Every structure is written in structure tokens, then in C-alpha cells.
Amino acid sequence: MLRAFREFLQWRKGDAIILAEANVLPETDMEYFGGGGDRMHMMFNFHVNQHVFYALASGDGRPLAKAMKATRPRPATAQWGLFLRNHDELDLGRLTPAQRNVVFKNFGPDKNMQLYDRGIRRRLAPMLGGDRRRLELAYSLMCTLPGTPVIRYGDEIGMGDNLGIARTQLRAHADAMVDRAACRLHPKATSRARRSSIRDLMATNTSMSPSSAATPIRC
């Protein structure tokens, strides 16, 4: 079925790619790529993603090195998608309980920040304390690991958390998140005026000191 889906797409849009999301073990990933690379063009590398956050939380890069080795095999025509956050929770289910607790302690210590006892439902900037240096470190790591970097919309402006939206907060429309943030600053302004004001504030943030430039606006 996956091969037929790819053939259907390629005949109609030759320069399109299929980026697949399957949070499975590395050996199962190959079933999605296809032995000859004739199924999915790209796969999100969940195995590496979880170990990236453990490395950031603990300073121990050895499990990350093992994860990279485990996901090294792939067809020559296929590619990994490297990411920090996507539209669901940060899944830590492949880590050991001890490793998972280290990540929870550093990036999602409160129970309402966690999900299913194995994930964190926060955006990247607040997870890293709005610290520009830590964000730059995380992005430089993502951009230098083998694969194609994928950035979740909103993370490029340091969008903050709205934990009242449950698991779906990372899927919220950017304008809606901006509106909620701006409404607190200008409750009597029109929707357009609020968005303009908050975007001006975001633009101003980029010229602040390195330690504050990525500070998220909390919704």
C-alpha cells in the first residue's frame, strides 16, 4: 500500500516527498522506507529525538550516540527528518525510567506538563527556560546530526505554552496563540491591533540581549 501511495503521488507531483510519522523501533522503520527505498521518502527520527533531550537534560551523549548508530541504516534514496518538537507531546517512551525522570525533572517537572507518564506537552522555548544560548545549542545539534532538520511552526519565534489546551496546544493556529497573548496586554483593542502589537513585541525581542531574546510570550 505504501509503495502504491508513493507511485500515485510521484506520477502527479514529481518533486513532492512523503514525510512519515511512525514512532517505532529502528528496525521497524525500514518497513516504512522499503528495502529498496520505494516507500516513504522521509521518516521522523523519534529514536534520536528522545535521546537528544536526554543528552540536553543530563549532559550524557552516550545514549544519543547509540541511537544514531541504531538509525544509521537506511536506503540511499531515503532520509531521516530530524526535529526537536512536533505537533504531539515529546514522547520519551523509548528511554529507561531513570532517563525519563531526568528529562521530566529538567523540562517538564509539573504533572500538568506531562502526558501519559511518558511525554511532555510543552513547546521548545519554555522547556529550555527561554534561554537563547540553550535554544541555539539545541538547534545547532539538530542541524548537524545526519538528516534533514524540521522546525515546528511557532518555535521560530519562541512561542510559549498554553497548557489549558491539553495535548493539542502544539497544533493551535499561530494567530490564535498570538491573539490570546496579545489580549492580556491590550484587552480592549481590536483583534487586528492586538496581533500587530504582539508581533511588534516579538520583533523587538530579537534585538534584546542573548539571554532574553528567546523568552517566550506565555499564553
Side-chain angles (χ1 to χ4, degrees), residues 9 21 26 49 60 70 74 81 87 99 107 129 157 164 214:
L9 176 67
E21 177 188 13
N49 174 256
D60 183 1
R74 60 173 175 80
H87 55 272
Q99 291 172 335
F107 300 139
I157 58 172

Side-chain angles (χ1 to χ4, degrees), residues 60-114:
D60 183 1
R62 291 171 297 177
L64 174 58
K66 291 180 181 178
M68 291 171 61
K69 184 177 181 180
T71 56
R72 184 178 298 166
R74 60 173 175 80
T77 57
Q79 183 60 289
W80 292 111
L82 272 296
F83 66 103
L84 293 170
R85 297 295 293 110
N86 70 353
H87 55 272
D88 288 327
E89 71 279 359
L90 168 63
D91 182 30
L92 306 171
R94 306 294 179 195
L95 302 181
T96 67
Q99 291 172 335
R100 195 178 307 127
N101 286 335
V102 170
V103 181
F104 279 153
K105 180 180 178 180
N106 282 272
F107 300 139
D110 298 339
K111 243 342 185 184
N112 72 329
M113 298 174 178
Q114 302 170 15

Side-chain angles (χ1 to χ4, degrees), residues 56 84 124-125 128 134-144 149-152 154-158:
L56 291 172
L84 293 170
L124 182 66
L128 299 181
R134 297 177 76 193
L135 286 162
E136 288 176 347
L137 173 63
Y139 278 119
S140 66
L141 184 59
M142 179 186 71
C143 290
T144 52
V150 181
I151 299 177
R152 178 67 179 171
D155 283 348
E156 78 281 5
I157 58 172

